[in-house]
Amino acid sequence: MALTGAGISTESGVPTFRGAEGLWRTYRPEDLATPEAFRRDPALVWEWYDWRRAKIAASRPNPGHEALARLENAKPCFTLVTQNVDGLHRLAGSRNLRELHGCIWNLRCVDCGEEREDRTVPLQPIPPRCACGGILRPGVVWFGEPVPMEVLQASMEEARACDLLLVVGTSAVVYPAAGVAHAAVQDGRSVIEINPDETPLTPHATVSLRGRAGAILPRICTSH
Ligand code: OAD
C-alpha cells in the first residue's frame, strides 16, 4: 500500500503546498480553499483553480508515479491512497486508487450536486455553470469539509491490515489523511517514508529514505 502527497508530483512541475516554494507561501488557504471563500468569491477561487489546472495539464507523470503504477501491475492487491487532486497517478496507469481529496478535473454543482469530468483549460466562463443554472465548484475537498467517509474508512482499514505502507511526498500534517499513516504505525505495520525532509511521521517510520520520490521509487519498486 502507498500513501502519497504533493511531493510525488513536484518532479512533474506541480507545486507542493508547504515548504520554501509551496503554494501556501504565496496564497492563503482561507481565501482559496474553503467553502466560505467559494461562497464569498467563486470567481476568485475559480481563477486560482484554473491556473492550477493549466499547470497540471502541462505536466506528465514522472518516474515516481510510474513506479507505483508498475507495483500495482506486479501486485494486484496493492492500493494507492493519495491526497493529490492532480490526476497524475491515474494518468500513469494506477487504477486501484483512492483520491482522499477528490480530483481537480471534476466539477460539481453546488445546487443539484451533479458531478462531471471537464478537462477544459482555460475554463469558460468563470465561474462555470451547471445545466440546472447552479454554480459549479471544483470536485475537491476543501479545509473544513469532510473527506468522503467510505474512502477514508476503506483507507484506514487497509492501512491497519497492509504488509507494508510506503508514505511518499507528504508533510503528514493534514488530517485525516495523515491518520492513514498513523493507523499503520499503531497496528505495527512496516512503514517506509520517502521524503527529502523530516516530517512528524519520521520518528515512527520503520525506515526513512531521505530523497526524491522520482529517484527512490523506481529503485525499490521492482517487479521481482
Ligand atoms: P505538502 O506540500 O504539505 O508536503 C509536501 C511534502 O513533499 C513535503 O514534506 C516535502 O518535503 C516533500 N517533497 C518535496 N519534494 C519531494 C520529492 N521530490 N519527493 C518526495 N517528497 C518530496 O503536501 P501534502 O502533504 O500533500 O489539502 O499536503 C496535504 C494537503 O494539504 C493537500 O492535499 C492539500 C494541502 O493543503 C487540501 O487542499 C485540502
Side-chain angles (χ1 to χ4, degrees):
M1 177 174 180
L3 170 70
T4 64
I8 195 167
S9 293
T10 183
E11 290 164 75
S12 294
V14 180
T16 60
F17 295 93
R18 296 169 188 81
E21 286 168 29
L23 292 170
W24 298 149
R25 281 280 161 124
T26 316
Y27 305 98
R28 285 162 22 111
E30 53 272 42
D31 291 341
L32 298 165
T34 66
E36 294 75 30
F38 191 72
R39 269 196 295 276
R40 218 168 30 236
D41 196 343
L44 176 75
V45 171
W46 261 119
E47 272 160 26
W48 189 64
Y49 272 87
D50 203 37
W51 169 76
R52 286 179 60 201
R53 284 163 58 103
K55 256 188 139 37
I56 295 165
S59 71
R60 300 289 311 154
N62 67 55
H65 298 108
E66 286 159 4
L68 292 180
R70 278 200 306 278
L71 197 54
E72 180 181 319
N73 272 336
K75 300 201 175 290
C77 60
F78 174 78
T79 306
L80 176 50
V81 177
T82 188
Q83 299 164 81
N84 299 346
V85 298
D86 56 31
L88 289 177
H89 282 305
R90 198 169 293 282
L91 212 55
S94 289
R95 290 292 170 269
N96 200 359
L97 181 64
R98 300 192 192 284
E99 294 174 311
L100 285 178
H101 292 162
C103 178
I104 203 165
W105 300 114
N106 289 348
L107 273 54
R108 189 168 71 245
C109 179
V110 295
D111 285 348
C112 73
E114 173 120 336
E115 183 157 327
R116 62 174 160 88
E117 187 181 292
D118 185 336
R119 291 184 169 259
T120 316
V121 174
L123 269 173
Q124 292 279 353
I126 276 186
R129 293 271 176 183
C130 178
C132 81
I135 293 183
L136 291 162
R137 59 163 281 177
V140 301
V141 175
W142 281 324
F143 288 102
E145 293 184 318
V147 167
M149 183 67 95
E150 65 289 354
V151 182
L152 181 63
Q153 245 167 22
S155 305
M156 297 294 268
E157 276 164 26
E158 281 153 359
R160 292 196 182 99
C162 72
D163 294 322
L164 169 67
L165 176 67
L166 302 171
V167 181
V168 187
T170 175
S171 55
V173 295
V174 173
Y175 282 79
V180 173
H182 282 287
V185 168
Q186 269 163 13
D187 277 36
R189 305 292 143 192
S190 296
V191 174
I192 301 181
E193 182 183 54
I194 300 168
N195 198 311
D197 295 330
E198 284 199 12
T199 75
L201 182 72
T202 307
H204 309 285
T206 319
V207 175
S208 260
L209 301 176
R210 294 269 151 269
R212 293 182 296 108
I216 294 175
L217 281 174
R219 291 175 60 197
I220 63 171
C221 300
T222 56
S223 54
H224 45 80

